[in-house]
């Protein structure tokens, strides 16, 4: 906590040293000009939530706020695990971005190519320049299938038993593969390095194992005589980064006789062979598979990584408590693209967005920014059809549980399953991306 406050204090000094602008000193953006009070890069979870929360403050008029995103669709990505588990249709989890963006916002359906923070402008890939007073950078991260040799080809082959729920195009292939698989070695992977929703690679495995168990193809108590064998190959040394929840998941793994291949990082697929890198220069390990659920490596997009806004790892370099850029005081970031040292989830954005919005407004009013974000994030871990372990924690992996007084959240629970399957998709699509849901704080008026 002391570190957190120190960091935010330094940032506040930087903010007050720079020239303060107030709402009164800013002329409204002309509808036809490419100059806006706030420009938001990315219309994903963070971009939509922040833009709409800003708009709902009533402090902005037509086209004061602009969103830039080249996509046609806005996706509810957490639902792709449910698609992989055969519980949802992927088409129901996407919304037309043009329709989702409030008409009071200016929408540039274009890609951002470069940032020029010294001049308060961004350049779109069509060459147009857009000026801002405040910039919110939220383009997410790149789920890069080419980081695993052979993966793009294996995913594209409709007959292969290789899939991933981390892509819209293949999340339903995962479901088909699981249903059609009757016999052999099933391997589920989790890469080394930061990914979005660090629980998702094993959620799909738990659902698959439950499906096969119910179908009589996998016996938790006698895997040797089961037609299907299951392995979890993870680049990490443990099942999950937070010890409290990792303990339950490790116990579950042993109980269900899932082979644990720790510090095994999938780097190549060659026919029916998966090749894993090992730490400290150890020899690569090869494993034959009949079904593979692969999770690609993920990282910042080049246009962020190569910009003046990035930290050494390529993420937007913001203060972990205020969400303000460490160098450019009128630049902000939330979500997967940010340097915030917490698990990258939509749930985290429910807690980040109100802090970013409040501090951005304070900055516009010439006030000091406040340290408001404690790293809250959450991961509803499906452990079977009908049960979820609800991991909720803050910086340092310290549990911060909404229902901790009612339930042991490390014990998989039926109520959490319905939160994950029904409530979260509904509240996300109808309230969160419209700026009206604050996660554990509830609905925003
Ligand atoms: C399989 C899976 C399961 C998950 N499960 C959960 C879960 O259970 N719970 C949970 O809370 N979270 C979960 N998540 C994570 C969650 O979906 C992400 O953390 C969240 O969507 C990140 O939001 P974002 O706005 O940072 O990025 P995104 O939502 O990815 O949005 C980024 C946007 O930026 C746009 N963009 C990209 N490049 C540019 C550019 N050059 N110019 C302009 N715009 C650009 C993109 O088109 C996109 O619209 C899951 C994710 C996946 C994939």
């Amino acid at each position: 906590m002391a570190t957190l406050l120190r960091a935010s204090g330094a940032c506040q000094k930087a903010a007050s040293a720079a020239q303060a602008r107030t709402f009164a000193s800013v002329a409204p953006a002309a509808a036809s000009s490419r100059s806006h009070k706030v420009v938001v890069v990315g219309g994903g979870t963070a971009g939509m939530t922040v833009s709409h929360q800003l708009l709902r403050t009533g402090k902005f008029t037509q086209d004061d706020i602009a969103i830039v995103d080249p996509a046609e669709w806005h996706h509810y990505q957490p639902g792709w695990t449910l698609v992989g588990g055969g519980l949802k249709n992927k088409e129901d989890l996407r919304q037309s971005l043009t329709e989702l963006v409030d008409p009071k916002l200016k929408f540039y359906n274009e890609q951002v190519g470069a940032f020029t923070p010294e001049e308060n402008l961004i350049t779109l890939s069509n060459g147009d320049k857009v000026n801002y007073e405040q910039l919110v950078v939220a383009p997410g991260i790149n789920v890069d299938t080419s980081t695993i040799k052979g993966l793009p080809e294996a995913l594209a082959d409709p007959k292969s038993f290789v899939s991933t729920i981390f892509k819209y195009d293949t999340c339903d292939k995962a479901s088909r593969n699981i249903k059609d698989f009757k016999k052999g070695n099933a391997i589920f992977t989790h890469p080394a390095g930061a990914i979005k929703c660090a629980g998702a690679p094993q959620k799909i495995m738990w659902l698959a194992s439950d499906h096969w168990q119910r179908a009589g193809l996998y016996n938790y108590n006698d895997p040797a005589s089961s037609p299907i064998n299951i392995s979890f190959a993870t680049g990490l040394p443990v099942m999950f980064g937070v010890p409290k929840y990792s303990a339950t998941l490790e116990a579950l793994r042993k109980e269900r006789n899932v082979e644990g291949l720790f510090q095994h990082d999938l780097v190549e697929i060659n026919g029916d062979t998966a090749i894993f890198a090992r730490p400290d220069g150890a020899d690569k390990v090869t494993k034959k598979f009949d079904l593979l659920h692969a999770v690609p490596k993920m990282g910042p997009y080049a246009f962020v990584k190569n910009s003046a806004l990035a930290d050494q790892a390529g993420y937007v370099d913001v203060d972990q408590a205020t969400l303000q850029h460490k160098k450019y005081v009128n630049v902000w970031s939330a979500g997967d693209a940010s340097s915030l040292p917490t698990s990258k989830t939509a749930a985290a954005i429910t807690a980040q967005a109100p802090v970013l919005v409040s501090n951005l407004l304070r900055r516009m009013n010439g006030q000091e920014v406040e340290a408001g974000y404690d790293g809250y994030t959450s991961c509803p871990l499906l452990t079977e059809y009908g049960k979820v372990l609800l991991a909720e924690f803050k910086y340092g992996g310290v549990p911060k549980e909404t229902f901790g007084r009612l339930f042991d959240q490390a014990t998989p629970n039926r109520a959490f399953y319905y939160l994950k399957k029904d409530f979260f998709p509904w509240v996300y699509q109808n309230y969160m991306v419209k700026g009206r849901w604050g996660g554990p704080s509830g609905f925003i008026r």
Side-chain angles (χ1 to χ4, degrees):
M1 180 56 97
T3 321
L4 195 140
L5 291 174
R6 265 201 308 279
S8 84
C11 201
Q12 285 176 10
K13 271 189 213 148
S16 29
Q19 188 193 6
R21 290 192 191 216
T22 64
F23 286 112
S25 71
V26 170
S32 58
S33 83
R34 289 198 292 268
S35 188
H36 305 274
K37 286 184 179 173
V38 184
V39 170
V40 179
V41 175
T45 308
M48 293 305 290
T49 303
V50 166
S51 311
H52 286 138
Q53 284 189 13
L54 281 168
L55 191 61
R56 289 176 56 76
T57 62
K59 295 182 189 298
F60 296 92
T61 57
Q62 184 70 44
D63 291 350
D64 275 352
I65 304 171
I67 295 191
V68 191
D69 194 314
E72 182 183 1
W73 299 102
H74 175 99
H75 295 279
Y76 177 60
Q77 297 169 31
W80 295 348
T81 312
L82 301 169
V83 175
L87 292 164
K88 297 268 181 202
N89 294 319
K90 65 180 187 179
E91 294 81 6
D92 297 338
L93 300 171
R94 65 180 191 177
Q95 292 161 282
S96 153
L97 193 50
T98 314
E99 284 171 27
L100 198 55
V101 172
D102 190 287
K104 275 203 179 131
L105 304 174
K106 172 77 182 173
F107 180 36
Y108 295 98
N109 203 188
E110 297 284 345
Q111 199 169 31
V112 174
F115 300 98
T116 314
E118 285 79 11
E119 295 174 37
N120 294 334
L121 67 83
I122 58 171
T123 306
L124 309 186
S125 46
N126 66 7
D128 286 350
K129 301 203 182 305
V130 179
N131 288 87
Y132 58 82
E133 291 170 12
Q134 304 291 325
L135 177 69
V136 179
V137 186
I141 51 174
N142 187 12
V143 179
D144 189 357
T145 55
S146 72
T147 53
I148 298 169
K149 196 172 170 208
L151 179 59
E153 297 78 7
L155 289 175
D157 177 358
K159 293 201 188 103
S160 81
F161 274 79
V162 177
S163 66
T164 185
I165 55 166
F166 278 80
K167 288 283 182 186
Y168 177 78
D169 287 347
T170 57
C171 57
D172 49 348
K173 188 183 183 197
S175 165
R176 286 195 300 276
N177 282 358
I178 291 165
K179 282 201 184 113
D180 293 346
F181 190 60
K182 307 288 177 213
K183 185 174 183 298
N185 294 331
I187 302 182
F188 293 80
T189 74
H190 180 137
I195 64 169
K196 50 174 89 197
C197 193
Q202 65 182 283
K203 293 178 196 176
I204 189 65
M205 176 185 73
W206 297 128
L207 289 181
S209 67
D210 191 24
H211 171 80
W212 293 325
Q213 199 242 161
R214 290 167 197 248
L217 298 168
Y218 185 67
N219 183 344
Y220 289 159
N221 300 318
D222 187 12
S225 65
S226 300
I228 292 175
N229 301 309
I230 306 175
S231 304
F232 185 55
T234 169
L236 308 180
V238 289
M239 287 298 283
F240 196 71
V242 178
K244 173 173 179 180
Y245 310 114
S246 191
T248 305
L249 296 165
E250 176 62 4
L252 208 58
R253 183 188 72 72
K254 288 183 174 151
E255 195 182 297
R256 295 187 185 174
N257 275 298
V258 169
E259 181 188 29
L261 298 168
F262 294 98
Q263 295 186 294
H264 281 61
D265 189 20
L266 181 67
V267 288
E268 184 177 347
I269 299 166
N270 187 351
D272 62 356
T273 303
I275 303 168
F276 299 92
R278 304 293 330 276
D280 305 324
D283 288 346
K284 287 185 178 146
V285 168
T286 60
K287 294 276 285 183
K288 292 273 179 211
F289 67 85
D290 300 288
L291 178 146
L292 180 70
H293 181 269
V295 178
K297 289 181 184 298
M298 303 171 205
Y301 287 107
F303 82 106
V304 175
K305 195 174 184 170
N306 301 331
S307 78
L309 302 180
D311 68 4
Q312 283 203 326
Y315 297 101
V316 186
D317 195 13
V318 289
D319 179 89
Q320 67 173 28
T322 65
L323 282 62
Q324 184 179 39
H325 196 273
K326 288 184 182 163
K327 180 171 175 200
Y328 301 101
V329 293
N330 61 341
V331 177
W332 313 82
S333 183
D336 294 354
S338 73
S339 64
L340 298 169
T342 193
S343 180
K344 297 181 183 300
T345 65
I349 294 165
T350 63
Q352 293 163 8
V355 175
L356 192 161
V357 166
S358 163
N359 277 336
L360 187 152
L361 295 177
R362 292 179 71 81
R363 167 87 194 128
M364 289 184 90
N365 277 323
Q367 296 166 292
E368 300 246 311
V369 295
E370 292 176 331
Y373 181 55
D374 63 3
Y376 173 82
T377 188
S378 167
C379 185
L381 275 134
L382 290 146
T383 52
E384 61 185 75
Y385 288 93
K387 284 198 181 161
V388 157
L389 174 166
L390 187 56
E392 284 182 295
F393 49 98
K394 57 185 178 177
Y395 287 138
V398 177
K400 186 184 179 193
E401 299 179 342
T402 309
F403 307 101
R405 286 197 186 156
L406 298 173
F407 305 101
D408 172 10
Q409 291 194 199
T411 302
N413 173 311
R414 186 162 293 276
F416 297 152
Y417 176 75
Y418 291 105
L419 277 184
K420 165 73 188 163
K421 184 170 87 63
D422 300 319
F423 179 72
F424 290 155
W426 173 80
V427 84
Y428 179 93
Q429 292 189 309
N430 294 294
Y431 291 90
M432 181 169 168
V433 284
K434 296 180 178 168
R436 300 180 63 193
W437 173 246
S441 321
F443 291 93
I444 299 170
R445 285 174 169 268

